Amino acid sequence: MVRTTPSTDRHERELLAENAYVGELYDRLEAERELATDRLRAIHRQSEGGTLQSRLERDTLEIHHTRRLAELHAAEYGLCFGRIDRTDGARQYIGRIALADEDHEPLLTDWRAPAAEPFYRATPAAPGPVAARRHLRCKGRTVVDFDDDAFDLDHRSGAALSGEGALLASLTAARTGRMGDIVSTIQAEQDRVIRSELGGVLVVQGGPGTGKTVVALHRAAYLLYTHRDRLAKRGVLVIGPNTTFLRYIDQVLPSLGESEVVLSSIGTLYPGHTAAGADTPEAAAVKGGARMAGVLAAALAGLCRLPDDHWTVTLGRGSAHREEMAVSRALGERAQAAARRTNEPHLRARPALVERLTSELALRIARDRAEELDLDAVADLADELVEDPEVQRVAELLWPRLTPEQLLTALYTSPELLAEAAPELAPAERAALLRADNLAWTEADIPLLDEAAELLGTPSTRPRPKQPAFDAEELALAERVLSDFGEGLAEIDAQKLMQQYQGESALRPLAERAAEDWLWAYGHVIVDEAQDLSPMAWRMLARRCPGRSMTIVGDLAQTGTPGGLDSWGEALDAYTAGRWRSVELSVNYRTPAEIMQVAEATLHRLDPALTAPRAVRTGGTHPWSRRLPADNPLPALLAAVTEQLAARTEGRLAVIHPPTYPAELLAALAELPGMTTPDSPTALDSPALLLTPAQSKGLEFDTVLVLDPTAITTAHPRGHNDLYVALTRATKHLGVLHTEDLPPTLTTLTPR
């Protein structure tokens, strides 16, 4: 592949030509926006009367044009970014959406369309139908420059970056606190991941800076475009490591015109709860272990009581027919057995227990009264007993009504119940689980609440809203309207359209509906930083994706949680054994070679056989270290961080500290001008951020200062993994401040 550099005059002429064409595209974009806006205004001016069909058509068209208008607005920035000249002489422009002229001749090809694939896949060894490729660099609506890749038959050796100039300009730009899309600079190995087939579980293993996250997000956009009929109704779930990371990526998919996506972390995935507490490493390890599924089931069974011999109950209090009776242990066992035979979750099995209990009590009452055993009369008596307070009290003892929160609280606050339910746990492990009943739920608790909801059969005592019923004729009409007028509205079916029409349920965004529905099953799930998920978190995700259509993204070398993974099969073989596939991203686009040389020594400390991804650029500055006085590090620490803040002309600074860093030093750092912490609402917009290695996962910064790396490595058993994470967050500059001796892996740092 030859990168051509046209003469100045020719370059200027071609730049003018490209600007003229891109200007036409924006004119067409404006025309389509005006058309969609006019149509929406016309719909809103229409009378609310008319036939059922006309009103359904009006609702459908309103949804269609609203969606199209959102797509056109999202495409404004970076509308067109590339061009390919084919070997057959055809020319094709690539952009965010498809545009056609008034005669329906294509002007711009959507980057997700199969026709755009050669733009990303062409290489010197396999150019396919591409004779030349051009990457346009735009500022606003103006093309400011372009890079050409000419695929010449005489120069097909080696491998090169696609659109190197545009790519490097993107990589070296100052970080803004928000992740941008890479739609204009997708590389061939990334494109293969993005366009991989939908079915099954795809594991994307990639080291730092390989673009795992942004590739996964573009895969979500691609899948929704290509398989909208299968995915739009159920949506795509994207799981990130924490809420700061979710805020960091939350503009990527909207910028690509996609809205049927739910962003969540494990700590926010269970409706109604956001993890706010913190666990000790020991507690997190126990809570995340697969054994906890059995512990919860045993705890629920342990809360179902039986009398030692019998309970005495007085039925019919306040009536003329009071009956004092004994509920024997044997009767309690028979009632519990009736509930278990249903094979239903706990709360849905309860009616069978109540039925067995009241039936036996009604028969006994009939015998005691020496009445003739009329089965209908006995059944009526049993129905009356269902509401008797004493029967309800006994049923509550035999088979208590619980919420997931109550079940987990009972387990955590009762040493006796915990010992009975978890004999396989060591005493120290059980001690790690005990807590007061008013503490905030932690991230490790959320999958356990979800597991408890699965055992109980509902996440709360609130009944789910019933779907309104429509007759077959109404639904058939709605189907015809959608078929005729609902092009591109795969997420809407006849039932939803009728609900909208009747005012029963507005067609709220899918993300809102899915996020509040515990039983929602997604069409596809994407998990970022997946190596850190515990076995209980995997169980939680598996329930939300019964079709097992997933994209799993991570790096085993960056596993930092006690319950994290050492291999992908460890998590996936339980759910899709032999049916998952993996690919690896091997090129580091983010981290300069000088920083990766330092980080690779830490990687080899984890496993000498591991290889760091190849860095595609150099940064020009070598990572450095500075020793601070051990007896009083604060003045020198503040001076060093202030120096880096003053040297920053643009971009962002991260100060990454051990989770055990002294509180007084953290408090002093947090007071520096421009410094924020991850829980601050301004965390992503501030010039500097103070955070732990775990909180920095998935993020990137122009400059990174790592504090006390030895303390990071000794904070927990996976401390060296955390150090590897911290060292690979920088796009330009890396410094290390330390009071103890440096770990042997960092001896190549330049002392200051």
Side-chain angles (χ1 to χ4, degrees):
M1 179 170 67
V2 177
R3 287 205 169 77
T4 61
T5 306
S7 65
T8 302
D9 289 345
R10 179 185 163 203
H11 187 273
E12 291 300 322
R13 289 196 303 272
E14 295 199 16
L15 196 59
L16 287 171
E18 296 295 9
N19 269 295
Y21 191 85
V22 170
E24 291 179 17
L25 292 177
Y26 274 106
D27 289 343
R28 185 60 191 165
L29 182 75
E30 290 290 354
E32 290 211 22
R33 283 205 291 223
E34 289 178 9
L35 180 62
T37 301
D38 289 344
R39 287 176 173 171
L40 274 174
R41 287 172 179 161
I43 290 169
H44 294 157
R45 286 195 298 265
Q46 290 180 17
S47 167
E48 293 186 0
T51 64
L52 172 60
Q53 178 170 341
S54 66
R55 283 176 283 177
L56 290 177
E57 289 173 0
R58 185 169 60 241
D59 284 351
T60 304
L61 288 171
E62 180 180 21
I63 298 166
H64 171 78
H65 292 307
T66 300
R67 170 186 283 280
R68 180 58 176 166
L69 197 56
E71 289 176 348
L72 294 168
H73 283 305
E76 167 72 28
Y77 177 75
L79 173 63
C80 177
F81 49 77
R83 187 188 93 186
I84 52 177
D85 295 336
R86 294 178 172 265
T87 52
D88 61 5
R91 176 168 290 178
Q92 181 182 3
Y93 282 84
I94 312 298
R96 290 180 176 272
I97 60 172
L99 290 175
D101 62 19
E102 294 179 352
D103 296 324
H104 306 291
E105 291 296 322
L107 298 173
L108 188 65
T109 300
D110 192 300
W111 68 275
R112 295 165 291 187
E117 190 173 320
F119 177 77
Y120 298 108
R121 295 287 184 91
T123 65
V130 181
R133 172 173 55 205
R134 173 169 288 181
H135 287 262
L136 305 178
R137 281 187 266 167
C138 299
K139 186 173 183 179
R141 296 188 171 195
T142 302
V143 182
V144 296
D145 207 353
F146 59 81
D147 299 300
D148 282 340
D149 299 332
F151 297 96
D152 189 297
L153 288 173
D154 297 327
H155 298 85
R156 291 187 184 177
S157 61
L161 298 172
S162 169
E164 183 173 357
L167 175 63
L168 293 180
S170 172
L171 296 176
T172 57
R175 304 299 103 174
T176 65
R178 294 292 192 282
M179 177 179 279
D181 66 58
I182 60 164
V183 64
S184 62
T185 58
I186 293 170
Q187 300 298 298
E189 74 167 3
Q190 296 173 326
D191 187 70
R192 281 189 287 274
V193 173
I194 291 169
R195 297 177 193 269
S196 181
E197 64 186 47
L198 171 64
V201 177
L202 173 67
V203 174
V204 184
Q205 162 71 37
T210 54
K212 301 183 297 296
T213 298
V214 75
V215 164
L217 295 175
H218 285 69
R219 176 161 168 76
Y222 169 78
L223 291 176
L224 282 165
Y225 172 88
T226 307
H227 304 283
R228 190 168 296 278
D229 56 333
R230 294 173 59 182
L231 295 181
K233 286 185 175 65
R234 305 311 307 170
V236 173
L237 172 65
V238 176
I239 294 291
N242 51 57
T243 53
T244 302
F245 174 83
L246 295 177
R247 296 201 306 272
Y248 175 61
I249 67 171
D250 65 5
Q251 294 305 307
V252 175
L253 286 163
S255 74
L256 297 172
E258 293 299 347
S259 59
E260 288 86 19
V261 179
V262 176
L263 301 181
S264 180
S265 66
I266 291 296
T268 59
L269 188 54
Y270 184 76
H273 288 286
T274 297
D279 276 314
T280 64
E282 295 78 14
V286 178
K287 290 178 180 181
R291 295 176 297 177
M292 286 302 295
V295 170
L296 285 173
L300 179 57
L303 292 171
C304 297
R305 297 171 55 190
L306 285 168
D308 294 333
D309 180 64
H310 70 275
W311 291 319
T312 300
V313 298
T314 302
L315 304 177
R317 288 181 185 272
S319 70
H321 299 288
R322 293 179 57 180
E323 301 278 352
E324 190 170 279
M325 307 192 71
V327 176
S328 67
R329 183 181 181 90
L331 173 54
E333 289 174 342
R334 290 193 296 273
Q336 288 180 347
R340 294 189 184 101
R341 281 196 297 271
T342 66
N343 291 319
E344 291 281 357
H346 181 83
L347 294 179
R348 292 205 287 270
R350 182 184 165 100
L353 176 137
V354 174
E355 181 182 1
R356 181 59 182 261
L357 179 65
T358 55
S359 296
E360 291 206 23
L361 290 175
L363 279 170
R364 196 184 307 170
I365 290 171
R367 291 192 187 101
D368 291 347
R369 293 176 181 173
E371 296 176 359
E372 184 178 346
L373 293 179
D374 181 282
L375 292 181
D376 289 337
V378 172
D380 291 341
L381 179 57
D383 290 341
E384 293 175 13
L385 290 176
V386 169
E387 302 301 325
D388 191 288
E390 286 285 273
V391 171
Q392 288 295 321
R393 181 178 66 83
V394 170
E396 194 64 23
L397 292 169
L398 294 170
W399 206 262
R401 285 173 291 200
L402 297 164
T403 65
E405 294 82 0
Q406 289 170 332
L407 175 57
L408 210 54
T409 298
L411 179 67
Y412 287 164
T413 57
S414 171
E416 296 77 18
L417 179 61
L418 188 55
E420 179 186 345
E424 70 274 24
L425 296 183
E429 291 177 312
R430 292 199 292 270
L433 292 179
L434 289 173
R435 51 170 268 177
D437 63 2
N438 59 347
L439 296 181
W441 298 113
T442 69
E443 182 171 313
D445 289 327
I446 299 301
L448 299 184
L449 288 170
D450 196 71
E451 186 77 24
E454 184 75 5
L455 288 170
L456 294 168
T458 177
S460 71
T461 56
R462 297 189 303 273
R464 297 186 73 196
K466 292 183 178 180
Q467 297 291 341
F470 303 104
D471 64 41
E473 187 176 340
E474 290 174 326
L475 291 175
L477 178 58
E479 288 279 10
R480 288 197 299 274
V481 169
L482 284 172
S483 175
D484 293 339
F485 298 93
E487 181 182 357
L489 299 181
E491 76 277 18
I492 299 172
D493 57 21
Q495 182 83 14
K496 288 189 178 69
L497 185 59
M498 285 301 302
Q499 287 176 241
Q500 165 87 349
Y501 164 72
Q502 294 282 17
E504 299 282 354
S505 173
L507 287 172
R508 296 180 298 141
L510 178 142
E512 287 183 17
R513 291 181 280 122
E516 64 187 32
D517 187 347
W518 171 64
L519 298 175
W520 194 276
Y522 292 90
H524 192 79
V525 171
I526 292 175
V527 187
D528 198 10
E529 303 294 346
Q531 74 279 351
D532 283 331
L533 266 59
S534 69
M536 293 305 297
W538 283 109
R539 287 174 65 90
M540 185 182 192
L541 287 180
R543 283 192 283 271
R544 279 155 179 76
C545 191
R548 302 294 187 266
S549 179
M550 294 183 174
T551 301
I552 307 300
V553 178
D555 179 14
L556 295 172
Q558 296 184 59
T559 302
T561 56
L565 300 179
D566 293 313
S567 71
W568 294 114
E570 184 182 333
L572 298 175
D573 285 344
Y575 305 104
T576 178
R579 292 183 289 114
W580 59 273
R581 61 198 191 278
S582 64
V583 295
E584 185 165 1
L585 297 176
S586 59
V587 179
N588 184 336
Y589 303 99
R590 175 180 67 214
T591 316
E594 294 89 345
I595 294 177
M596 281 310 299
Q597 287 171 2
V598 172
E600 192 162 18
T602 298
L603 179 65
H604 290 161
R605 164 64 175 75
L606 298 171
D607 184 346
L610 294 176
T611 302
R614 175 176 59 87
V616 299
R617 63 190 178 93
T618 59
T621 61
H622 197 276
W624 54 270
S625 67
R626 179 180 298 170
R627 186 155 196 157
L628 308 179
D631 56 344
N632 183 23
L634 182 58
L637 173 65
L638 294 179
V641 176
T642 301
E643 174 188 324
Q644 293 299 314
L645 281 167
R648 188 194 63 84
T649 57
E650 60 179 354
R652 306 185 75 223
L653 166 70
V655 179
I656 302 179
H657 61 84
T660 54
Y661 205 60
E664 63 273 15
L665 298 184
L666 289 176
L669 287 170
E671 293 297 320
L672 290 175
M675 187 72 72
T676 54
T677 55
D679 56 356
S680 168
T682 62
L684 295 179
D685 303 310
S686 63
L689 194 58
L690 184 65
L691 68 174
T692 65
Q695 292 168 332
S696 74
K697 284 191 173 181
L699 307 180
E700 58 185 23
F701 305 87
D702 299 83
T703 301
V704 170
L705 289 179
V706 178
L707 306 185
D708 279 350
T710 299
I712 291 177
T713 64
T714 58
H716 59 79
R718 295 187 186 270
H720 285 278
N721 302 70
D722 275 357
L723 180 57
Y724 182 59
V725 171
L727 294 172
T728 54
R729 299 304 96 195
T731 65
K732 295 177 182 176
H733 311 291
L734 172 67
V736 173
L737 303 175
H738 60 106
T739 55
E740 304 178 50
D741 289 341
L742 288 172
T745 57
L746 297 184
T747 54
T748 58
L749 291 169
T750 301
R752 281 191 181 180

